[in-house]
Structures are given as C-alpha cells and as structure tokens.
C-alpha cells in the first residue's frame, strides 16, 4: 500500500501555504519551491546570458519537459505539443478539424464557455450543427444516449472531462470506447483533471487532449499542453502555422513537422515551460493515485460539513465527484461570500452562470462559490473554512 502523503513536508515546500488557506486550486494552485526555483534560475540565466543563449544552455532541460508531459498522460513524446495555455491547446486541436454543412459536433451540457462559443463560431461559418448529449440521472454525460446519437454525420465528440464547477467527472473512458468503435475524433478538455486525477490517454481512448499547468498541476500561469494521437497527427494541419511548426523548405513550399510540435510556434516562454516540467515531475514523484485519493478525501469532507449548514445549498453533480465544491448561501451574493472569506485569509473563487450556460440555465444556478482543495490543504485549514462559512450563515 502506498504511504500517505507527508502533508507537513509538502506545506513546507509551498511558500503560499504560510499566508492563507488556498481553496482556489481549480483556478490557480500554489506553486511548490521546485517550480519556483526552476523558473527563477532560468530568468537569472536570461538576465546574465541573454534569452537565446539561456535557451541554448538549457536545451536538454527544455526538451525534457516533453518527456515529463508524455509520462504524465502515458503518451509518446512525439504526440506532445507545449502551448501558452489550455485554451490555445484546445483551439489548435479544434480549429484543425474540417467541417461541412450538416456535420455534427456532439458535446456535453456542462461544456465550458470558451469551447462552446468556438463550436458556435464554426457552426456559423461551415453549416455544421452543435448538439448536446443528454445527461444521466446524476448529471454526467450518458454514454448510452451518446451511442444512440451516432451516425455518419458526427465528425467530432468534444467533452470537458471535469467542468469548471459542480464537482462532476464525466465518463471519459466510456465516451472513448464509443468514439473508437465508430471511428469518430474525440477531443477531451482535461483542464481541471490534469494534476488532480490519474490520466492514461490509451485507456481513455481520446484522440486529442488539452490541459493547463496552473491548476491542479501547480505549475505557472501561461503554460499548457496538447496531446495528439499519433494515428491522427498526419490528418491534421494547424489552422495557423509559422516556420517552427512548418519549416519553409522551398520558395513555394513548406513541410509540416512530423510530430505534434507542428502545433507550436517559434517564440516561447522558456522559464514558464521549465516551471511546467518541474510541476509535472513533482506530481509524478508524489504519485497521481495518492494525489487523487487525498483530493477526493478533502472534497468529500468539505461537502459533508457544508451540507449540514442551514441555508447553504450544494450545487454539485455526478456520482463520481472531483475536488471542486460549488455552493451558495441564501441571502448572500457569491461575491460577498468570497470577499468575507478573503478577509479571513481564505481563498475561494466564484463561478458565473455564463461559464457553463446550458447547465446553469437548466438548473437555474446563481453565481456560485467554488471551493477547490488540493492535497497540501491541512485539516486546520478545512476547519477555518467551515467556521468562516458558519459564521456567515449565522
């Protein structure tokens, strides 16, 4: 059996933990010391040597980041592209698809706004349609309903694995089985999943996966990555290219790179990328199974304690729930709750209905408070959160 995480040691390696109880890990987690050190060291190199020279000096370490990402999700290095953020990764994957009038894009009711507006834009441009897969009784995507929707016009299944609020975990692997059986491209937004739960793209069966560094991976802002299944890669040309992803080989010809880095551009923030690599290596050393177990333990405890508070309503969905707890307090605006908790040194966030408009409209959700714990949160911090919320409710 795996040894439990040493929470005191992990908190000692998390400078921000000494200053506030951070329950906004679904927004941006607190970075550990190795991540901070990797970034600072490279910035120092850039200051002393110059940006180009520093990148050249750290070429091996920069290249190793691709291997770290590949290990994290059980992929090959050739299937990994590094991006400025998860949105860029997702857009590069989505806008490389080709659609014609009558083509169908299938997605989830709790799909994130950034993705859904892209569906709408492409539908408007091409005549494709966007259709929502019905939920099961728990609020998760219903695989049987998805299977029943499949026909020859379905060109893409695009799902957010863990939506931005509600704690839901959609059945990514069950969706992957359906996509594989019918030969349909499957794009999985793993922005809230990576760093929180164990990920194996071979087991999931997705063709494309996108993620960020700043959330549960505990990496820096401005980092993300894209996975492109090797068998699909040669069928995709990025909507936008430069001479890194597509070298100019003759006056009238370019050649796309043979790997997923065809989705990258030449200019990069190397300090942030090294920070991303350090964050992934840190998570891998701890073990994603242990991280996942700790995250769920904390989130379940928060749900149990908050559910006992009068006039507080939990808004979480799904049978299988992630470390994102969404709630509201009768008589208090979500922004007021956040402000009151911030004043007590407790970080939470708020989620607006426009973030998941279809789900929010169906459930008549207000702006809600989102508390997202991570493995480094302590029992004492949970007690502070409960006491602060109870005080507000009183």
């Amino acid at each position: 059996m795996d040894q439990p995480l040493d929470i005191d040691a992990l908190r000692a390696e998390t400078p921000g933990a000494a200053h506030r109880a951070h329950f906004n890990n679904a927004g941006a987690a607190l970075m550990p010391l190795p991540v901070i050190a990797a970034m600072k060291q490279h910035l120092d190199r850039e200051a002393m040597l110059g940006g180009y020279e520093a990148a050249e000096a750290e070429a091996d370490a920069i290249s190793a980041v691709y291997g770290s990402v590949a290990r994290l999700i059980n992929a090959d290095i050739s299937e990994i592209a590094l991006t400025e953020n998860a949105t860029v990764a997702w857009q590069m994957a989505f806008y490389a698809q080709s659609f014609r009038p009558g083509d169908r894009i299938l997605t989830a009711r709790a799909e994130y706004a950034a993705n859904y507006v892209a569906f709408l834009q492409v539908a408007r441009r091409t005549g494709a349609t966007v259709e929502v897969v019905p939920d099961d009784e728990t609020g998760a995507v219903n695989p049987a309903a998805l299977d029943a929707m499949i026909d020859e016009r379905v060109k893409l299944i695009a799902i957010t694995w863990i939506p931005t609020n509600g704690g839901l975990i959609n059945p990514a692997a069950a969706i992957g089985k359906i996509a594989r059986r019918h030969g349909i491209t499957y794009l999985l937004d793993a922005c809230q999943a990576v760093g929180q739960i164990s990920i194996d793209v071979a087991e999931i069966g997705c063709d494309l996966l996108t993620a960020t560094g700043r959330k549960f991976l505990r990496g820096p802002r401005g980092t993300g990555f894209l996975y492109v299944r090797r068998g699909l890669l040669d069928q995709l040309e990025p909507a936008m290219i430069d001479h890194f992803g597509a070298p100019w080989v003759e006056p009238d010809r370019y050649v796309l790179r043979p790997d997923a880095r065809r989705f990258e551009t030449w200019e990069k923030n190397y300090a942030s990328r090294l920070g991303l690599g350090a964050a992934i290596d840190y998570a891998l050393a701890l073990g994603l199974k242990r991280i996942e177990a700790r995250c769920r333990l904390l989130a379940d405890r928060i749900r149990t304690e908050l559910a006992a508070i009068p006039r507080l309503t939990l808004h979480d969905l799904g049978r299988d729930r992630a470390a994102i707890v969404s709630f509201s307090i009768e008589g208090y605006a979500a922004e007021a709750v956040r402000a009151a908790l911030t004043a007590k040194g407790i970080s939470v966030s708020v989620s607006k209905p426009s973030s998941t408009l279809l789900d929010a409209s169906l459930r008549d959700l207000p702006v809600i408070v989102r508390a997202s714990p991570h493995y480094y949160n302590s029992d004492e911090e949970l007690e502070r959160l409960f006491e602060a919320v109870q005080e507000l409710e009183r």
Side-chain angles (χ1 to χ4, degrees):
M1 179 179 292
D2 287 336
Q3 292 295 315
L5 295 171
D6 186 340
I7 305 305
D8 289 340
L10 294 170
R11 289 177 62 79
E13 291 183 333
T14 305
H19 302 283
R20 58 193 313 102
H22 192 74
F23 294 103
N24 188 18
N25 296 286
L30 298 177
M31 293 185 290
L33 287 172
V35 174
I36 299 166
M39 297 172 68
K40 285 183 174 179
Q41 286 168 9
H42 191 74
L43 288 174
D44 287 341
R45 279 185 178 269
E46 288 190 341
M48 298 303 294
L49 302 177
Y52 286 20
E53 292 79 3
E56 184 176 354
E58 291 293 326
D60 289 344
I62 292 165
S63 179
V65 178
Y66 294 90
S68 296
V69 176
R71 286 193 300 278
L72 180 70
I73 64 172
N74 189 29
D76 187 80
I77 291 176
S78 66
E79 298 173 312
I80 304 300
L82 301 180
T83 61
E84 290 74 19
N85 53 61
T87 300
V88 168
W90 190 94
Q91 289 171 338
M92 294 298 273
F94 176 66
Y95 285 100
Q97 311 301 314
S98 297
F99 298 99
R100 296 183 296 181
D103 286 347
R104 301 167 66 202
I105 301 168
L106 304 186
T107 190
R109 189 175 306 281
E111 194 67 14
Y112 188 53
N115 302 349
Y116 210 96
V117 296
F119 299 149
L120 295 176
Q121 183 189 55
V122 163
R124 190 173 298 169
R125 287 177 176 175
T126 66
T129 62
V130 185
E131 301 174 40
V132 175
V133 180
D135 298 331
D136 65 16
E137 69 279 3
T138 73
V141 170
N142 187 332
L146 170 63
D147 202 26
M149 295 175 72
I150 301 297
D151 64 17
E152 71 282 355
R153 295 178 298 129
V154 176
K155 300 302 179 185
L156 180 69
I157 299 170
I159 301 291
T160 295
W161 191 354
I162 299 179
T164 189
N165 56 36
L168 177 67
I169 303 178
N170 275 315
I175 294 168
K177 290 179 181 178
I178 295 168
R180 284 199 305 271
R181 186 165 67 247
H182 294 281
I184 298 169
T185 301
Y186 176 23
L187 167 57
L188 184 62
D189 180 340
C191 205
Q192 298 286 14
V194 68
Q196 178 186 172
I197 62 177
S198 166
I199 296 177
D200 183 333
V201 291
E203 182 179 305
I204 294 166
C206 57
D207 298 290
L208 302 150
L209 180 142
T210 61
T212 184
R214 66 181 159 89
K215 296 178 183 285
F216 289 94
L217 264 181
R218 303 184 66 193
R221 297 192 71 174
T223 58
F225 64 84
L226 165 64
Y227 157 78
V228 185
R229 183 176 59 81
R230 184 77 221 181
L232 183 66
L233 187 58
D234 289 339
Q235 302 174 37
L236 299 180
E237 178 162 336
M240 296 169 288
I241 56 175
D242 79 351
H243 60 299
F244 178 85
W248 191 18
V249 296
E250 294 179 6
D252 62 349
R253 190 168 68 92
Y254 63 85
V255 177
L256 289 169
R257 287 183 60 117
D259 56 17
R261 294 184 217 189
R262 65 177 57 182
F263 290 95
E264 295 187 18
T265 56
W266 185 82
E267 179 58 20
K268 303 166 176 66
N269 185 331
Y270 288 107
S272 291
R273 290 194 171 188
L274 288 167
L276 173 66
I280 293 171
D281 292 344
Y282 193 84
L284 289 171
L286 293 177
L288 269 299
K289 295 290 187 183
R290 292 201 296 170
I291 289 172
E292 181 175 350
R294 172 74 179 172
C295 286
R296 294 202 185 198
L297 177 71
L298 296 178
D300 287 346
R301 184 179 170 197
I302 291 173
R303 289 189 183 97
T304 299
E305 294 286 342
L306 294 186
I309 299 176
R311 297 195 301 126
L312 186 148
T313 301
L314 290 171
H315 298 288
D316 290 347
L317 295 173
R319 184 178 295 106
D320 187 20
R321 294 178 177 176
I324 301 176
V325 182
S326 302
F327 65 94
S328 59
I329 302 175
E330 182 183 343
Y332 279 90
E335 291 88 346
V337 175
R338 178 176 62 177
L341 294 177
T342 299
K344 293 179 177 293
I346 302 170
S347 296
V348 295
S349 61
V350 299
S351 180
K352 297 179 180 179
S354 58
S355 294
T356 53
L357 187 61
L358 298 183
D359 175 57
S361 298
L362 179 69
R363 297 199 283 150
D364 195 25
L365 290 180
V367 180
I368 56 181
V369 183
R370 186 179 71 176
S372 47
H374 212 344
Y375 59 81
Y376 58 77
N377 286 123
S378 66
D379 291 342
E380 183 272 335
E381 287 180 323
L382 264 65
E383 292 299 331
R384 285 174 57 193
L385 174 65
F386 304 150
E387 290 172 7
V389 172
Q390 287 170 341
E391 184 178 324
L392 269 177
E393 189 277 332
R394 288 194 295 267

